[in-house]
Amino acid sequence: MCGIVGYVGAKAPIPILVEGLKRLEYRGYDSSGVATMNGEGKVFVHKRAGRIRDLEHSMPGECPKANVGLAHTRWATHGEPNDANSHPHLSHDEKIAVVHNGIVENHSSLRTMLMGEGVAFRSDTDTEVIPHLIARFYEGDLETAVKRALHLIQGTYGIVAMHSEEPDKLVVARNGSPIVLGVGDSEMFVASDAPALVAHTKQVVYLEDGEIAVLSPEGFRTTDLSDRTIQKDVNELDWEIEEIERGDFEHFMLKEIHEQPLSIDRGLRGRAMSDFGDAKLGGLNLDRRAFFDIKRVCLIACGTSLHAAMAASYLIEELARIPCAVEIASELRYRNPIVDANTLYFAVSQSGETADTLAAMREVRRKGGIVLGVVNVVGSTIARESDGGMYIRSGPEIAVASTKAFTSQLLALTLFALKIGRMRDLSSTAGKQLIHALNELPDQITTVLDQSDSVKEIAHSILDASYVLFLGRGGNYATALEGALKLKEVSYIQCEGFAAAEMKHGPIALIGDGTPVIFLCPRDHLRDKTLSNMEEVKARKGRIIAVCNPGDERVMALADAYIEVPETHNLLTPFLTVIPLQLIAYHAALALGLDVDKPRNLAKSVTVE
Ligand code: M6R
């Protein structure tokens, strides 16, 4: 979704702002813009539909020097992606510039009111009401005017505002859209996401909903909408600049696929207790009694995180023998969920900012449920608002298509399943076997990654397909869903994932001569069943692509092409079967000449409904 960057200090703001916007490109956007002072006490704005490079190339030769600036990448919601609708937006007197993430829900009544007062609008956006409202209340103090304007606004926002008459100040506010402040040396930064700050400072402050911050080169102060002072902690970011750069890889997606041996290793370190066949998970905040009282687990998520949760649900039920439900966050939040004291809820989210997951988590907590977070981004809203949880430790994920977060989320939940299983019926022998297999995963993933060239050939063979079907059973049903999601989001090839046995209840109608059907068929207790499904596809002249274990001749005899993944514990196969599917998606998108890291219409972190 949209990205925000702001700066106040002695350096030239435009290069800092543009570099910050580039760090946020991964969020998904369709236009961008910057505002600063023009050197004559007026606001300078430059904005463009398209990529940040279009903004840069069209920038006037000499950019104004000033102490303050704000910038934005817009992902269109209200009004098409064009220059006029891009942010920053100006007040009618052109003294106030505002960037905004979120949605002003009552924008149309505010627009009618402002137009009735003679304000002329320049864009179709909901955002434009904000600078006009601030101007309406401005009496020499931007902070007060912003607060008065926000009292009239319903909806979600992360905003940054500046005024030409207060050239050393940014006013920032948050309600439902993430905002993080960066504390520098006689300078301050603000952004919607930490990657925009890492190159400048690691000292950050996370704003909470209802908080307003005023930034100047000397520092910041925070209040609420009623002017009460709020003391904020300064946190240390644990990201390194190299982690948010592509390094030698052509794309972030490829880099992140290749980081999985490392991220799995990091996720295991200090948590997997080989000697006891158990797991140590520090942040759950549950005492022993609470563990014993758990009668049901419920995993709440969206997208790839939902698929990781689905794969994990099989492990939780099998290892802990506790029923585990998986809920689509957007459905749960509006269903008036039945929350009970013996269900342990998890909000699973890479970004920790997904609007639907956050809202579902808040709804469950409002009803008295305990919700733990399974989150990647440290300090994100879900991480802060949950009752405890596990960081998945996969490191920053920049590509819009989530890859390493899937395996790291699955790992964190596997360790939870192991821990709770060991407190119940799981023997130490079974626990040790699982940990042994987990410890082998990094090397085994490397083995799969080494086959990238043959996977590429397979990816090239499906480029002309009008439809691709992914099939799996058990935990690999979730992998099939994830494989289809990955392929469609980066290559735009029509595809879907199904539980293998469901094929004959519908999708089989789509299988004809040469239709690619990707089977996940490790040598587990379900393999023979899956083999029957392969026969059914074969009989209809479908083209079988199998992900199987080495030397599985029955699969190989049926398949037109196959990719081998090493054998592992029966419950852990999704960790390995998903890797070739990520690579297929990547290579297909690349061969089709698509923008792999920034697929159309998608955003990394979906912070609006
Ligand atoms: O940050 P989250 O894990 O909560 O994000 C959930 C989905 O928006 C995300 O997984 C999305 O589906 C990705 N584009 C998948 O690659």
Side-chain angles (χ1 to χ4, degrees):
M1 304 267 116
C2 313
I4 286 178
V5 189
Y7 173 76
V8 54
K11 296 183 189 132
I14 299 251
I16 294 177
L17 297 171
V18 171
E19 184 253 3
L21 289 185
K22 285 182 182 165
R23 300 262 183 216
L24 299 186
E25 277 199 293
Y26 71 95
R27 289 178 59 93
Y29 70 102
D30 37 49
S31 60
S32 60
V34 294
T36 180
M37 303 297 292
N38 75 351
E40 292 158 20
K42 294 209 170 120
V43 174
F44 161 88
V45 175
H46 184 68
K47 49 193 198 173
R48 275 288 175 282
R51 291 295 180 200
I52 294 169
R53 61 173 174 269
D54 301 319
L55 179 80
E56 275 186 296
H57 292 159
S58 58
M59 200 90 81
E62 192 147 338
C63 277
K65 299 192 177 40
N67 294 341
V68 70
L70 41 82
H72 191 261
T73 45
R74 172 173 187 255
W75 186 88
T77 57
H78 297 63
E80 62 180 80
N82 58 26
D83 292 354
N85 290 336
S86 318
H87 299 211
H89 288 286
L90 289 175
S91 55
H92 54 87
D93 59 7
E94 301 194 0
K95 291 182 174 179
I96 298 167
V98 169
V99 289
H100 164 230
N101 284 359
I103 292 176
V104 180
E105 283 165 7
N106 58 339
H107 69 98
S108 93
S109 58
L110 291 171
R111 180 181 274 253
T112 308
M113 177 190 87
L114 288 160
M115 285 170 67
E117 294 173 2
V119 173
F121 278 75
R122 302 179 185 96
S123 78
D124 305 321
T125 63
D126 55 328
T127 298
E128 198 187 336
V129 298
I130 304 176
H132 295 314
L133 275 179
I134 298 174
R136 186 177 189 257
F137 291 116
Y138 189 78
E139 289 171 355
D141 177 23
L142 182 61
E143 179 186 358
T144 306
V146 168
K147 284 178 180 165
R148 291 181 69 188
L150 292 182
H151 278 297
L152 296 187
I153 286 172
Q154 287 158 17
T156 52
Y157 52 79
I159 66 162
V160 182
M162 56 182 258
H163 195 293
S164 58
E165 287 164 20
E166 299 176 64
D168 286 324
K169 188 191 280 183
L170 288 175
V171 177
V172 180
R174 171 188 165 140
N175 184 42
S177 236
I179 288 284
V180 52
L181 312 181
V183 183
D185 191 7
S186 300
E187 56 186 0
M188 285 291 301
F189 304 83
V190 55
S192 49
D193 303 77
L197 307 178
V198 186
H200 307 286
T201 179
K202 289 198 178 170
Q203 306 297 307
V204 297
V205 177
Y206 299 102
L207 278 202
E208 301 292 343
D209 286 351
E211 292 181 350
I212 317 282
V214 179
L215 317 189
S216 67
E218 291 75 46
F220 71 99
R221 69 189 161 71
T222 30
T223 56
D224 63 14
L225 276 181
S226 312
D227 280 334
R228 280 181 293 254
T229 300
I230 298 168
Q231 297 302 336
K232 300 292 293 178
D233 291 335
V234 178
N235 299 277
E236 172 95 14
L237 268 185
D238 67 347
W239 289 358
E240 298 303 328
I241 190 83
E242 305 77 57
E243 289 185 288
I244 58 165
E245 289 183 338
R246 272 192 287 113
D248 293 336
F249 286 91
E250 205 180 330
H251 295 99
F252 279 110
M253 183 177 176
L254 190 63
K255 175 178 183 244
E256 288 157 11
I257 291 172
H258 279 263
E259 279 172 347
Q260 290 174 101
L262 196 72
S263 52
I264 291 294
D265 185 54
R266 208 164 34 203
L268 284 167
R269 225 175 300 148
R271 287 178 167 173
M273 299 158 73
S274 306
D275 292 350
F276 305 99
D278 205 343
K280 192 163 119 195
L281 299 169
L284 298 182
N285 297 342
L286 296 174
D287 60 26
R288 294 185 69 75
R289 189 68 257 154
F291 266 105
F292 282 112
D293 288 344
I294 299 168
K295 301 263 182 308
R296 185 172 160 267
V297 170
C298 177
L299 309 174
I300 306 165
C302 305
T304 289
S305 299
L306 183 78
H307 299 153
M310 283 178 70
S313 69
Y314 290 86
L315 277 138
I316 292 170
E317 293 204 341
E318 198 56 45
L319 295 172
R321 304 303 299 153
I322 297 177
C324 180
V326 180
E327 294 276 4
I328 299 173
S330 55
E331 289 296 312
L332 185 79
R333 66 181 285 193
Y334 289 119
R335 211 178 52 218
N336 192 12
I338 301 163
V339 173
D340 69 279
N342 297 115
T343 298
L344 180 62
Y345 297 84
F346 285 92
V348 187
S349 172
Q350 187 285 129
S351 61
E353 302 292 354
T354 300
D356 285 323
T357 311
L358 183 58
M361 174 180 107
R362 286 176 175 161
E363 181 62 13
V364 170
R365 293 192 78 230
R366 204 169 291 128
K367 289 176 179 289
I370 302 284
V371 187
L372 304 182
V374 179
V375 168
N376 190 32
V377 178
V378 176
S380 57
T381 310
I382 292 178
R384 293 202 308 279
E385 290 191 16
S386 54
D387 294 288
M390 304 176 269
Y391 281 119
I392 64 168
R393 302 180 182 168
S394 65
E397 196 183 62
I398 306 291
V400 166
S402 187
T403 53
K404 61 178 179 172
F406 176 90
T407 44
S408 295
Q409 288 165 333
L410 183 54
L411 177 63
L413 288 165
T414 301
L415 292 172
F416 166 76
L418 173 63
K419 180 174 174 65
I420 193 160
R422 288 289 284 118
M423 293 177 83
R424 297 175 181 220
D425 294 335
L426 195 73
S427 69
S428 79
T429 311
K432 283 178 189 169
Q433 278 167 356
L434 190 85
I435 291 194
H436 177 74
L438 285 170
N439 283 329
E440 286 185 327
L441 285 176
D443 285 346
Q444 291 179 320
I445 293 174
T446 305
T447 309
V448 184
L449 292 172
D450 287 345
Q451 299 174 55
S452 191
D453 283 347
S454 48
V455 177
K456 193 195 290 184
E457 255 178 61
I458 289 174
H460 291 176
S461 75
I462 62 168
L463 297 180
D464 295 333
S466 53
Y467 172 73
V468 180
L469 180 61
F470 289 75
L471 297 174
R473 286 169 181 260
N476 283 305
Y477 162 40
T479 320
L481 294 177
E482 177 56 11
L485 177 70
K486 221 68 313 152
L487 184 63
K488 72 176 68 135
E489 69 180 330
V490 295
S491 76
Y492 318 146
I493 295 173
Q494 185 87 24
C495 55
E496 55 190 345
F498 266 87
E502 277 290 296
M503 176 184 65
K504 54 190 173 299
H505 298 289
I508 198 165
L510 296 170
I511 295 171
D513 202 354
T515 307
V517 183
I518 302 187
F519 277 95
L520 306 173
C521 191
R523 210 184 266 119
D524 60 13
H525 61 295
L526 297 166
R527 167 193 171 255
D528 288 352
K529 300 282 172 202
T530 311
L531 277 169
S532 307
N533 302 129
M534 280 191 196
E535 296 281 7
E536 288 156 6
V537 169
K538 189 101 191 150
R540 283 155 188 88
K541 297 194 169 53
R543 180 162 177 269
I544 297 174
I545 298 165
V547 177
C548 62
N549 290 134
D552 192 335
E553 281 167 15
R554 283 190 63 200
V555 174
M556 291 168 183
L558 279 170
D560 296 279
Y562 60 85
I563 304 155
E564 293 177 344
V565 299
E567 295 223 22
T568 179
H569 190 293
N570 258 357
L571 292 172
L572 303 184
T573 56
F575 283 96
L576 299 174
T577 53
V578 77
I579 308 288
L581 306 192
Q582 297 169 342
L583 287 169
I584 287 176
Y586 172 77
H587 288 301
L590 196 65
L592 289 167
L594 299 170
D595 192 347
V596 180
D597 283 337
K598 294 185 280 298
R600 72 179 175 211
N601 301 339
L602 290 173
K604 181 64 183 164
S605 143
V606 185
T607 50
V608 295
E609 276 193 60

